[in-house]
Amino acid sequence: MRATKTQEEQWTIQNQVFRIYDLVCHLPPHAQSVNFELRRDNHIEYLIRSLKQLGPNFAVLDANRPWLCYWIIHSIALLGDCVDDKLENDVIEFLQRCQDPNGGYGGGPGQMPHLATTYAAINTLITVGGHKSLSSINREKLYAFLLRTKDTSGGFRMHDGGEVDVRACYTAISVASVLNILDDRLIQNAGDYIVSCQTYEGGIAGEPGSEAHGGYTFCGLAAMVLINEVNRLDLPALINWVVFRQGVECGFQGRTNKLVDGCYSFWQGGVAAIIQRLRLVVSEQMGLPNTSNFDSRTESDNDSSDSDGDQSSEGASSPVNDSCQPIQKGKSNDSPRIGVNNNGYNFIRGSIGMRPLFNSMALQQYILLCSQTIKVSCVLVRFLQITVFLLGGRRPVSRQAGKTQRPLSYMLRSKRTVHLPV
């Protein structure tokens, strides 16, 4: 029986990856330690330089310039650093020029507003923080833009006359939630639309009748958490789908029978990270006994404190809520519901009720190898920024006997070169 084109490509990739793994495993321990390191200062220098000026090859991303701001600023923040005041002001002023007079942000100055670039712009401004950054957001006009993108199906359109999909649902709901403007009009039937996109495989498609996809699964699951309707999804089926997307190469594929891809380390890894906080819902759907003291739907509503002892009850103040109070319209039923807007904030402060759903050490090794150049017998490693999200501070810095093991959060604050175990 002749192999399909997909099978041939899969076998080719597997052989290449296995050769790299074999090479790495046969390096002396010291050589592994030297090569597997996060060159933090080099990353920051590259990112800041890119924020000031990008090469001509980036011209194809002219309609995605807020995304470039977001990727760069967010990466710098993950590395525990920040930009100087001038560069910060330049970013704020540039994004102000991308803000449409009628609400929303375009891919560049003068371009039509789009939910994806609005998501990128808002998250950039929040990451920068401060009064000038947050006050530059016209929330009333943005709310009007979100209402214009709302579709009768319950979903959202990416832009005026654009496609309706789960990605649009997530970007619209996420932006509204973080800006404290999420209300019943925006939420109406959004859960129905997302539920209709969950496929027989268990994952979530971009639209009803399409194939389950890692990016859309993350967007759908996250959106359902934000509107507090995640219990409507078939979570056991979703778990079954996502865990089998980790391939023999140790990375994730985005869809069934597709090649693994570095970007799905985020999308599928993000899905798994969210599900780890949904143990009670999963247990209830599977008919398992509830052995926890918590009785909330997301395990976070009743978790009143984090590791620092801070309160996280409904109505608690977040960094955004301090500067972005609800828009008052004169009628209580037209005002955003504070509890709904706090769903995401409370969720991420809640407890983690499950162990990782995948082989996290193998995934880390895959991510490390994704950006390597192999020369003779030496492995030159540069980390993908997504490692930050997936490690979550749970992996040790060193396995050397007698040496203190520190979490990733410490590694990112450190000014020195950081090493990770192989």
Side-chain angles (χ1 to χ4, degrees):
M1 183 175 179
R2 184 175 180 179
T4 65
K5 179 68 173 177
T6 300
Q7 288 176 318
E8 291 176 352
E9 291 178 348
Q10 175 66 36
W11 295 335
T12 299
I13 293 295
Q14 284 181 202
N15 290 335
Q16 292 174 349
V17 171
F18 292 158
R19 283 199 297 270
I20 295 173
Y21 277 136
D22 185 65
L23 173 61
V24 172
C25 290
H26 285 85
L27 287 173
H30 176 71
Q32 293 182 14
S33 177
V34 169
N35 285 294
F36 283 86
E37 63 181 27
L38 172 61
R39 297 182 173 89
R40 179 181 179 277
D41 292 339
N42 290 349
H43 279 298
I44 293 174
E45 179 183 352
Y46 168 77
L47 291 165
I48 292 177
R49 185 172 66 249
S50 298
L51 194 59
K52 295 177 180 178
Q53 180 68 52
L54 288 170
N57 290 339
F58 287 89
V60 295
L61 295 177
D62 180 68
N64 293 278
R65 291 160 74 184
W67 278 110
L68 294 171
C69 293
Y70 172 62
W71 292 326
I72 294 172
I73 291 291
H74 191 57
S75 294
I76 292 172
L78 287 173
L79 290 168
D81 211 329
C82 58
V83 298
D84 59 43
D85 291 342
K86 181 183 182 306
L87 200 51
E88 183 178 291
N89 288 330
D90 288 345
V91 170
I92 296 171
E93 291 172 2
F94 168 73
L95 291 176
Q96 280 183 301
R97 297 199 302 274
C98 295
Q99 189 168 200
D100 189 85
N102 294 315
Y105 291 78
Q111 297 184 26
M112 69 183 299
H114 191 284
L115 279 177
T117 47
T118 296
Y119 174 89
I122 294 300
N123 280 284
T124 301
L125 292 168
I126 289 174
T127 303
V128 169
H131 177 75
K132 181 176 181 180
S133 180
L134 296 179
S135 63
S136 71
I137 304 169
N138 189 328
R139 294 195 303 142
E140 291 192 32
K141 292 291 183 67
L142 180 54
Y143 177 76
F145 167 67
L146 295 178
L147 281 180
R148 292 197 303 273
T149 63
K150 182 72 174 177
D151 186 70
T152 56
S153 65
F156 291 81
R157 293 189 178 276
M158 291 303 296
H159 57 86
D160 183 22
E163 65 275 25
V164 179
D165 59 30
V166 171
R167 173 187 46 149
C169 293
Y170 170 68
T171 50
I173 290 169
S174 175
V175 164
S177 175
V178 77
L179 292 180
N180 213 6
I181 57 176
L182 185 62
D183 64 5
D184 291 334
R185 296 178 68 186
L186 293 173
I187 292 174
Q188 185 177 14
N189 297 328
D192 293 341
Y193 180 81
I194 295 171
V195 169
S196 73
C197 295
Q198 186 169 21
T199 76
Y200 71 94
E201 290 185 281
I204 299 174
E207 58 186 9
S210 294
E211 184 179 10
H213 184 282
Y216 292 115
T217 299
F218 173 87
C219 289
L221 179 64
M224 293 295 273
V225 168
L226 292 175
I227 63 176
N228 206 25
E229 296 184 24
V230 70
N231 58 309
R232 298 182 59 192
L233 292 171
D234 185 345
L235 294 178
L238 195 154
I239 292 172
N240 185 69
W241 177 80
V242 75
V243 296
F244 282 103
R245 301 286 71 74
Q246 187 171 27
V248 293
E249 306 93 327
C250 303
F252 279 104
Q253 59 183 188
R255 293 175 287 163
T256 303
N257 292 327
K258 297 295 181 180
L259 299 176
V260 297
D261 189 317
C263 76
Y264 293 111
S265 298
F266 175 84
W267 298 118
Q268 307 286 34
V271 168
I274 293 174
I275 291 176
Q276 282 184 264
R277 298 175 183 271
L278 296 172
R279 183 178 64 84
L280 291 183
V281 184
V282 174
S283 297
E284 181 180 354
Q285 291 187 358
M286 295 181 67
L288 300 177
N290 180 5
T291 58
S292 172
N293 292 327
F294 300 117
D295 60 2
S296 65
R297 288 173 17 178
T298 62
E299 297 193 53
S300 61
D301 296 339
N302 290 340
D303 188 17
S304 60
S305 63
D306 61 11
S307 59
D308 297 323
D310 296 332
Q311 297 299 309
S312 63
S313 59
E314 184 172 320
S317 175
S318 72
V320 176
N321 288 339
D322 289 341
S323 300
C324 298
Q325 296 304 314
I327 300 172
Q328 300 298 325
K329 295 292 184 181
K331 295 183 180 180
S332 59
N333 61 347
D334 289 336
S335 299
R337 291 186 287 148
I338 304 301
V340 173
N341 285 286
N342 277 348
N343 282 340
Y345 180 61
N346 290 335
F347 183 80
I348 62 173
R349 289 165 62 94
S351 61
I352 297 176
M354 295 183 185
R355 294 180 178 179
L357 302 175
F358 54 88
N359 189 329
S360 59
M361 179 62 76
L363 180 62
Q364 290 173 47
Q365 294 179 350
Y366 168 79
I367 293 172
L368 294 174
L369 293 173
C370 273
S371 56
Q372 292 189 46
T373 301
I374 309 300
K375 294 185 177 180
V376 193
S377 61
C378 179
V379 183
L380 305 177
V381 181
R382 289 176 298 168
F383 277 92
L384 296 175
Q385 290 301 326
I386 202 61
T387 307
V388 175
F389 178 87
L390 292 169
L391 295 183
R394 289 187 288 275
R395 302 310 313 173
V397 176
S398 174
R399 290 179 177 172
Q400 297 178 24
K403 193 166 185 177
T404 302
Q405 296 185 348
R406 299 183 184 273
L408 183 66
S409 57
Y410 167 84
M411 295 153 55
L412 294 179
R413 291 194 299 269
S414 173
K415 299 298 182 183
R416 60 181 175 77
T417 297
V418 178
H419 299 264
L420 282 180
V422 177

